[in-house]
Amino acid sequence: MNILAVESSCDETAVAIVRDGRDVLTDCIASQVDLHRIYGGVVPEIASRKHIEAIYGLADQALKETGLNRQDIDAVAVTYAPGLIGAVLVGVNFAKAAAMALNKPLIPVHHIRGHIAANYLAYPELEPPFLCLVVSGGHTMIIDVRDYTDMEILGTTLDDAAGECFDKVGRVLGMPYPGGAALDKAAQRGDEAKYSLPLPKPDANPYDMSFSGLKTATLNLIHHAEQVGEELDTDSLCAAFCATVSNTLVPRVVQALKETGRRKIAVAGGVAANSRIRRDILKAAEELDAQVFMPPLSLCGDNAAMIGAQAYYEYLAGNTAGMELNAYATKSILGERV
Ligand code: KG4
Ligand code: ZN
């Protein structure tokens, strides 16, 4: 089954064609990141306009690259939530028009389910059940993936997403947007012991997390150094920051593996590209004799191939939509019908 998949929830316009949920025939991306960098973050209005400009061309490019005809497309999938509402709407409207014109099923896909499904592309042998640590610009969650479309949220951030904090701290340190990758690189040259940052622990649910206190403490430390004229060791501060984020995430993953008895841990989302988090997960999993699944960096960020992968399983579960499909800025990853 060839699925034409569309992703436009943030600042990447992407169209892919994926066969049977696992085989990426093409994965076309037009990134707007350079454009938003001037403003230090994504400007929603600009994002929507650029999606409109790029989306038709990308779909044409996807067909050309695979040599497929429109008739060879069996279904159209799209990220319908969550994201910047204007941006998501562009993809949803395009996908609705395409599904209607081709007279094929329309499959709505939750963006975070897509991030999890990036693992199916990287690891053809991976099947649920498994645990997934989702760490992106907008979400931080530990999810029990019981089946392809049956999930349970074990824990979530109670305030900021990890990626949001990376980007905010990166911005204040003068790093180009989005700051996560630059911060990661700087951290590798630093000494994490030089700075001590708070490790917040919400106490209601052991799997829940909090990052806003860490963000504020890091920003305060930077501003204080500026005010008193103290030279900041940026690399070491980045190292301490990455270590603290990882020390928030990884022990919870370890506890979840122990308590659920799952033997597989997958990671997903842009922050899953972080080298410190990757290293700590690998180490922890080795100690627990658990299998680790880490998609390559190209599949960790936003792309349409991951949407096409999840779409196949949504289709098998009967989760298709009609022309009434709407876009949503926020929506739970849990499987309520659209
Ligand atoms: O999943 P994603 O591409 O978009 C969302 O759905 O949010 O994630 C983007 C986030 C940004 O916050 C970016 O700074 C972060 O992923 N990121 C990283 C790294 N590479 C990207 N954060 C930490 N370390 C990295 N190496
Ligand atoms: Zn994403």
Side-chain angles (χ1 to χ4, degrees):
M1 178 181 199
N2 295 327
I3 297 182
L4 180 84
V6 177
E7 155 64 40
S8 69
S9 64
C10 192
D11 56 354
E12 326 273 0
T13 325
V15 178
I17 301 176
V18 181
R19 182 170 292 164
D20 297 338
R22 299 277 178 162
D23 194 6
V24 183
L25 306 187
T26 185
D27 189 11
C28 307
I29 300 189
S31 179
Q32 310 171 358
V33 75
D34 291 342
L35 207 68
H36 297 289
R37 190 165 286 146
I38 317 165
Y39 305 96
V42 180
V43 183
E45 267 298 307
I46 295 178
S48 310
R49 279 189 235 169
K50 287 288 151 190
H51 285 313
I52 293 172
E53 284 172 24
I55 203 159
Y56 287 88
L58 281 176
D60 268 348
Q61 185 188 334
L63 285 172
K64 276 200 193 102
E65 279 183 8
T66 52
L68 295 177
N69 293 316
R70 289 174 188 200
Q71 296 72 26
D72 299 322
I73 299 299
D74 300 304
V76 181
V78 63
T79 299
Y80 78 105
L84 302 170
I85 189 63
V88 187
L89 263 170
V90 175
V92 166
N93 283 330
F94 177 82
K96 279 160 78 169
M100 186 185 236
L102 299 172
N103 196 23
K104 297 291 176 183
L106 175 65
I107 312 168
V109 176
H110 190 285
H111 182 77
I112 302 301
R113 288 190 179 206
H115 271 302
I116 296 172
N119 283 280
Y120 304 140
L121 299 173
Y123 299 96
E125 74 282 11
L126 175 64
E127 286 178 4
F130 58 88
L131 292 187
C132 189
L133 171 67
V134 179
V135 267
S136 74
H139 294 84
T140 309
M141 289 187 234
I142 299 171
I143 295 173
D144 186 16
V145 184
R146 294 193 288 228
D147 206 341
Y148 291 102
T149 59
D150 176 18
M151 301 170 197
E152 184 188 353
I153 300 171
L154 299 180
T156 178
T157 179
L158 299 178
D159 38 59
D160 296 344
E164 232 172 300
C165 298
F166 268 101
D167 294 345
K168 188 69 204 276
V169 171
R171 185 158 135 185
V172 172
L173 287 174
M175 292 169 171
Y177 168 83
L183 218 148
D184 185 1
K185 215 165 167 193
Q188 290 168 40
R189 298 183 296 256
D191 169 13
E192 70 180 69
K194 202 159 168 186
Y195 293 100
S196 147
L197 295 169
L199 191 65
K201 274 202 183 108
D203 45 23
N205 171 355
Y207 298 123
D208 280 345
M209 297 157 268
S210 162
F211 292 97
S212 72
L214 168 65
K215 179 181 76 181
T216 308
T218 312
L219 298 182
N220 284 346
L221 199 149
I222 298 167
H223 291 142
H224 178 76
E226 260 167 29
Q227 278 161 7
V228 300
E230 176 192 313
E231 202 187 326
L232 197 66
D233 178 350
T234 307
D235 292 348
S236 296
L237 182 61
C238 291
F241 181 82
C242 289
T244 310
V245 172
S246 186
N247 290 339
T248 303
L249 298 169
V250 180
R252 286 169 174 77
V253 167
V254 167
Q255 190 177 348
L257 281 168
K258 283 184 182 160
E259 280 185 13
T260 59
R262 299 275 187 243
R263 281 281 133 303
K264 295 183 232 175
I265 172 74
V267 297
V271 184
N274 186 266
S275 47
R276 174 61 189 255
I277 298 171
R278 287 184 165 239
R279 198 178 76 204
D280 289 351
I281 296 243
L282 280 170
K283 192 161 162 270
E286 198 181 295
E287 283 165 11
L288 290 172
D289 206 18
Q291 246 183 309
V292 182
F293 300 87
M294 288 185 177
L297 303 193
S298 58
L299 281 171
C300 283
D302 288 347
N303 64 84
M306 67 186 197
I307 302 302
Q310 180 62 22
Y312 178 66
Y313 298 101
E314 298 290 347
Y315 178 79
L316 294 182
N319 296 334
T320 57
M323 287 300 126
E324 73 288 351
L325 177 68
N326 207 349
Y328 299 89
T330 55
K331 200 162 195 60
S332 160
I333 191 174
L334 301 180
E336 77 267 55
R337 299 288 298 224
V338 188

